[in-house]
Amino acid sequence: MDMKKIALGSAALAAFGLMACGEKPIEKGPAAITANSTDDEKFAYMLGAQFGGQNFTIIPRQMGEELYQDAVIQGVLDDVKSSKDTNFKPQMIPDSLQAISQRYSAIARKRYEETRPDSAMMAEGNGEKIKAYIDSVARAQPIAKAPASTGAAITIAADSPDNTKFSYLLGLQFAHQFIGIGNQFQTEFDVDYFILGIKESAAKVADSTYTLQLPQDSLNAIGQRYQQKLQDLRAAAIKKQQEEEAKLKEEIAPLRGDTLANGMPQKFNLKVKATKIAVDKTIATDLENLEPFANKPLLVMYFSATCGHCAHAAPEVLAMAKEFAPKGLITLAVASGGNQKVGIRKFMDNAKWDESINVVWDESRQFGELYSDGYVPKVYVVNPDGTYKMYTAFESEKEQLKKDLADLVSGKKVEWNPEAPKTEEKK
């Protein structure tokens, strides 16, 4: 009897809600460190304990206020949710987050300045005396109490206290780092254990007699195991990258064709692979490469979803696309291979891109290898015959770009004659 088939069959029934009458699916219990806890759960707990222990100790001294634990946890939960659901947004917009960050940075600078010794003490040059003075003044500075934790969900409103907003901001930052660490380990750590570590470390900061579920020696041991694991993953990633680069160079060799003086291809080879994100159905319903865009006047933007300059340029590219679309221009945005679909869609949403822009993902990295030097954004105007002009400095070249687009849609060919790279003369 195949036990694997039985297990899979049960899982499938559970997934489709076809459990036997009266049988309930197993619900996930609250996070707790037990003898059966996995290393990943312990590591997530360790990260939370580190983040919480450091920040619940240091931040109040710097800012003059204790962190509001419930707001911190809400920030963690909201950031994790927004990373999985592009339709979900954190409760504070970026401008508000930046404003509260600047406000508390100013408070920290003021409190720091208040601990500085006078010029006479500084002139003595007695390091121990100076340190003792700074420590004494810092300990004497007041620290306002935060609301007691109730474990309830927090709603951030315009009139919420600044400390609530600041604590929420730190929670967003904690989660962002937590997710980033998970990405380094190529896994998704359980946020419940991360939150458990934060809560328990905060309790220990408030009461030094509080005992964490994992003692310090166990935390150190799990940290060392994962440090070694990360080194192994990095070594494997480097090897894989080298193999992929070699394979990619073989793939693009027949696509390059004749080259310009700067070594780039003379023409856009639209046989490069492309992964569909959002493409006009009148152009391509089943996209595998960029050939559906052949023989058309094109405006192409090569971007990364994590690039601030790209985010700044995106609305202006949309405006150009809308302006020249009635005259026959097709606009194509190519997301670099290092992105993920969820990040690309979030970038599109933030830029308010619509059907005016066809978006694809350079998952194969062929486009970037052929037409970019690794820096973004890059913008290209492509003639129907495949010849093109590249713009590497969007902000300073956008007026020329608009003129070239006007020429393109009026039937004039846009020309580009890049110079060969300069080489040092041999002595």
Side-chain angles (χ1 to χ4, degrees), residues 2-203:
D2 191 338
M3 298 303 293
K4 288 185 179 180
K5 288 184 179 179
I6 291 176
L8 288 172
S10 299
L13 289 172
F16 286 97
L18 300 178
M19 304 291 289
C21 293
E23 188 177 346
K24 294 182 179 179
I26 298 174
E27 295 183 359
K28 180 183 176 184
I33 301 299
T34 68
N36 296 323
S37 294
T38 66
D39 269 6
D40 277 3
E41 290 169 346
K42 293 176 182 177
F43 183 67
Y45 174 88
M46 184 208 78
L47 291 175
Q50 288 183 345
F51 282 35
Q54 292 172 3
N55 288 279
F56 278 80
T57 300
I58 296 172
I59 297 296
R61 296 174 185 170
Q62 293 177 331
M63 307 302 180
E65 291 180 297
E66 293 178 347
L67 292 177
Y68 182 15
Q69 179 176 304
D70 290 347
V72 171
I73 301 306
Q74 190 66 54
V76 171
L77 292 171
D78 285 0
D79 192 76
V80 170
K81 184 174 181 179
S82 69
S83 71
K84 299 177 181 179
D85 181 0
T86 58
N87 295 318
F88 180 81
K89 305 295 181 186
Q91 297 182 48
M92 293 178 67
I93 62 174
D95 286 350
S96 298
L97 292 171
Q98 184 176 8
I100 201 71
S101 176
Q102 291 173 344
R103 203 171 305 154
Y104 274 82
S105 293
I107 292 172
R109 285 194 298 269
K110 182 176 181 296
R111 285 173 67 89
Y112 173 76
E113 288 299 325
E114 291 172 351
T115 68
R116 291 175 63 85
D118 59 26
S119 57
M121 183 179 291
M122 293 295 291
E124 290 180 19
N126 186 331
E128 291 185 4
K129 183 178 179 180
I130 292 172
K131 184 178 183 301
Y133 173 83
I134 292 174
D135 290 345
S136 175
V137 175
R139 284 195 298 270
Q141 288 180 316
I143 297 177
K145 290 285 185 181
S149 172
T150 65
I154 297 295
T155 299
I156 308 297
D159 59 352
S160 293
D162 278 359
N163 185 35
T164 299
K165 296 176 180 176
F166 180 67
S167 298
Y168 180 79
L169 164 63
L170 287 182
L172 295 175
Q173 293 177 343
F174 286 5
H176 191 71
Q177 295 178 57
F178 174 68
I179 294 168
I181 292 171
N183 292 337
Q184 289 181 342
F185 284 96
Q186 302 170 14
T187 191
E188 181 183 332
F189 293 115
D190 192 328
V191 70
D192 289 346
Y193 284 84
F194 179 65
I195 290 173
L196 178 63
I198 293 175
K199 289 179 176 179
E200 294 204 346
S201 63

Side-chain angles (χ1 to χ4, degrees), residues 373-387:
D373 55 6
Y375 293 95
V376 287
K378 291 283 192 303
V379 178
Y380 315 79
V381 170
V382 186
N383 297 301
D385 67 358
T387 57

Side-chain angles (χ1 to χ4, degrees), residues 288-336:
E288 294 182 354
N289 57 34
L290 299 179
E291 285 188 295
F293 298 94
N295 305 314
K296 295 178 175 65
L298 299 177
L299 169 62
V300 180
M301 178 184 180
Y302 180 64
F303 72 97
S304 170
T306 59
C307 166
H309 294 292
C310 299
H312 181 75
E316 297 188 71
V317 171
L318 175 62
M320 294 180 193
K322 287 181 174 294
E323 179 181 352
F324 292 101
K327 300 178 182 179
L329 181 72
I330 302 296
T331 301
L332 173 67
V334 182
S336 65

Side-chain angles (χ1 to χ4, degrees), residues 29 48 82 90 115 142 211 214 216 221 254 386 388 395 408:
S82 69
T115 68
T211 302
L214 274 180
Q216 191 59 50
Y388 63 98
E395 193 60 35
L408 180 68

